[in-house]
Amino acid sequence: MRVLGIDPGLTRCGVGVVEGVPGRPGKLIGYFVVRTDTDADIAQRLLHLDRGLTDLLAEHKPDAVAVERVFAQHNVQTVIGTAQASGVAVLAGARAGLPVEMYTPSEVKAAVTGSGTAGKAQVTAMVTRLLQLDAPPKPADAADALALAICHIWRGGTRAKIQAAALAAARRSTR
């Protein structure tokens, strides 16, 4: 399974592509950061983000998209920008006809490190180890996006297999 993980942000949107199967270390395909100019009009920033994500989806042809779920912060402006970027990310995945799953930061941390309260340094260290990289991915937005992709492969991939098996069993029982 190939997953494109997105750590949404209006100024810096991290994108990571990982290929793998549940329970095994994944293979790094690539990581990127889509940046927008803070002085640009919001509509143009969102359009630039959409085009960047659409291009990456077309180039890497993932099987699924994993997006970090927006969580409450004290800075309302930051939350609004992150929520807008998140909406663009979900829309880009849906427009490409892909399943889009959202994960909270604590879900991602727990999947990658074993602790939902792990710090950014721990997540980056585990992403580096799990993908057998020579150096940590930078910036942190890219490392977080790779963690999202790994989380989806391990959790979402397993969930999808269970759902497919249940659906197949239900079809067999109606025959």
Side-chain angles (χ1 to χ4, degrees):
M1 167 185 286
R2 180 176 283 200
V3 177
L4 189 134
I6 302 173
D7 179 30
L10 190 52
T11 303
R12 289 181 325 275
C13 182
V15 180
V17 185
V18 176
E19 205 165 85
V21 295
R24 302 218 184 237
K27 175 185 172 193
L28 172 70
I29 303 302
Y31 59 89
F32 317 89
V33 176
V34 179
R35 298 175 190 275
T36 67
D37 182 356
T38 57
D39 293 329
D41 175 73
I42 185 68
Q44 292 305 309
R45 293 177 76 186
L46 293 171
L47 182 60
H48 176 76
L49 179 58
D50 180 54
R51 287 179 177 153
L53 293 175
T54 298
D55 290 348
L56 288 167
L57 285 163
E59 179 182 347
H60 294 286
K61 300 180 181 15
D63 301 305
V65 176
V67 179
E68 185 172 277
R69 184 180 307 273
V70 177
F71 62 99
Q73 296 177 355
H74 298 302
N75 185 338
V76 175
Q77 284 302 108
T78 301
V79 171
I80 291 171
T82 303
Q84 290 169 325
S86 179
V88 169
V90 171
L91 178 62
R95 189 185 311 115
L98 298 170
V100 178
E101 194 72 40
M102 298 184 78
Y103 297 95
T104 65
S106 59
E107 284 178 293
V108 175
K109 292 173 184 180
V112 174
T113 70
S115 170
T117 60
K120 281 198 175 284
Q122 288 174 288
V123 172
T124 299
M126 284 306 296
V127 165
T128 304
R129 181 178 296 151
L130 291 169
L131 296 177
Q132 302 172 354
L133 304 177
D134 294 332
K138 291 185 180 182
D141 308 281
D144 290 347
L146 291 168
L148 278 151
I150 293 167
C151 174
H152 183 73
I153 289 168
W154 289 0
R155 291 193 173 187
T158 301
R159 188 176 354 188
K161 285 184 179 182
I162 291 169
Q163 288 173 343
L167 183 60
R171 286 182 183 148
R172 282 193 301 272
S173 70
T174 60
R175 291 183 186 165

